[in-house]
Amino acid sequence: MSITAFSASHRSSVVDALRAAGCVFAEDEAELILSTARTPAEVADMVERRAGGLPLEHVVGWAEFRGLRVAVDPGVFVPRRRTEFLVGQAAALAGREAVVVDLCCGSGALGAALAAGLDRVELHAADIDPAAVHCARRNVAAAGGEVYEGDLYDPLPGTLRGRVGILLANVPYVPTEEVGLLPAEARVHEARVALDGGADGLDVLRRVTEAAPAWLAPGGHLLFETSEGQVAAAVDAVERAGLAARVVSDETLYATVVIGTRAAGRGGRRAA
């Protein structure tokens, strides 16, 4: 059933219910619910769950990310609109074909979106959260990619070492003490492992950067998102790994991305 199948009064009642629940973009959310639900009963159920605080993406079961409709299961990290900037940077570096790894992949949105814009891609993704892996497998399948369950690089095939052209790492970077300050939609409904980056927010990132040179191809790139306040420490971690670092940002999206590049012909300091 499409949105046109529901009466104007039904639509108005959905908007009113969402607005009463504190949804700032009630009209836009009503459009998404009505375009996704197949019956009035499903509409009522979705409105009730959204009013109860469930993220809209978990309510409708998908999120739009760089023009793709990405499946997002309950409990799985919802891809942020600002992260589209990271994927755009990766696309500019990848050319028309690439070997791509998406670490801390969550729903697999980053890898899937990047692959959609390439002519040829060998895509691999990994996450430590079983629910995220289950979700990502649906999103990555269209690109013929593989998703692995495990801690960072651990589950990746050894044959990828030294071959990765684009390494996406959407690592958690919220300091542990600040997780409790996040909006309830994230704090309550997304896996903590996807949010908590340790004491200063960079524990996972340091592990990613330390091992990255062993996996990147000569001239390959590591890309990750961070906060403005963490840039100096993040760049230091990249450079300590032997990669050349640069920072790019988009003020409109409030996005800050660090890019680490392995020099052509050498690997920097390789992790054991």
Side-chain angles (χ1 to χ4, degrees):
M1 183 177 288
S2 68
I3 189 170
T4 56
F6 294 103
S7 67
S9 61
H10 194 173
R11 179 183 182 281
S12 179
S13 66
V14 170
V15 172
D16 290 344
L18 294 173
R19 188 174 289 130
C23 298
V24 178
F25 303 104
E27 292 192 358
D28 293 338
E29 294 193 10
E31 297 274 350
L32 288 174
I33 288 174
L34 291 170
S35 66
T36 302
R38 294 165 295 182
T39 66
E42 283 192 356
V43 172
D45 178 66
M46 288 183 178
V47 171
E48 181 179 359
R49 287 186 289 145
R50 179 60 180 138
L54 196 68
L56 179 65
E57 295 81 3
H58 290 165
V59 170
V60 298
W62 58 274
E64 183 180 346
F65 189 79
R66 280 183 64 90
L68 294 183
R69 180 176 285 203
V70 177
V72 183
D73 294 338
V76 175
F77 184 82
V78 175
R80 299 339 190 214
R81 183 56 57 88
R82 65 173 178 269
T83 309
E84 293 182 346
F85 178 67
L86 185 155
V87 177
Q89 294 297 309
L93 294 169
R96 300 308 307 166
E97 58 182 73
V99 177
V100 176
V101 168
D102 183 1
L103 286 186
C104 304
C105 69
S107 66
L110 277 65
L114 178 57
L118 302 180
D119 290 336
R120 294 179 58 189
V121 62
E122 180 183 339
L123 175 59
H124 302 265
D127 201 290
I128 198 170
D129 179 14
V133 170
H134 178 76
C135 182
R137 283 182 174 143
R138 304 208 309 280
N139 292 316
V140 170
E146 296 287 341
V147 185
Y148 312 91
E149 181 181 335
D151 185 27
L152 299 181
Y153 303 96
D154 288 352
L156 296 178
T159 53
L160 282 173
R161 284 180 173 269
R163 295 183 52 237
V164 180
I166 299 293
L167 176 55
L168 307 171
N170 197 22
V171 298
Y173 58 90
V174 179
T176 300
E177 291 188 353
E178 296 180 19
V179 172
L181 304 178
L182 292 173
E185 288 186 2
R187 186 181 71 249
V188 176
H189 299 288
E190 293 178 332
R192 187 175 180 111
V193 71
L195 305 170
D196 191 340
D200 67 350
L202 299 176
D203 284 359
V204 180
L205 173 62
R206 291 189 183 94
R207 294 175 56 214
V208 168
T209 57
E210 184 178 12
W215 295 87
L216 289 173
H221 308 280
L222 162 68
L223 300 95
F224 60 87
E225 198 173 75
T226 192
S227 70
E228 289 186 5
Q230 295 169 321
V231 166
V235 166
D236 180 66
V238 170
E239 293 178 341
R240 283 178 179 272
L243 304 176
R246 64 185 177 96
V247 181
V248 291
S249 60
D250 185 308
E251 294 183 359
T252 303
L253 293 173
Y254 301 101
T256 300
V257 171
V258 178
I259 302 173
T261 302
R262 175 184 166 182
R266 67 181 181 87
R269 181 174 62 79
R270 297 176 72 90

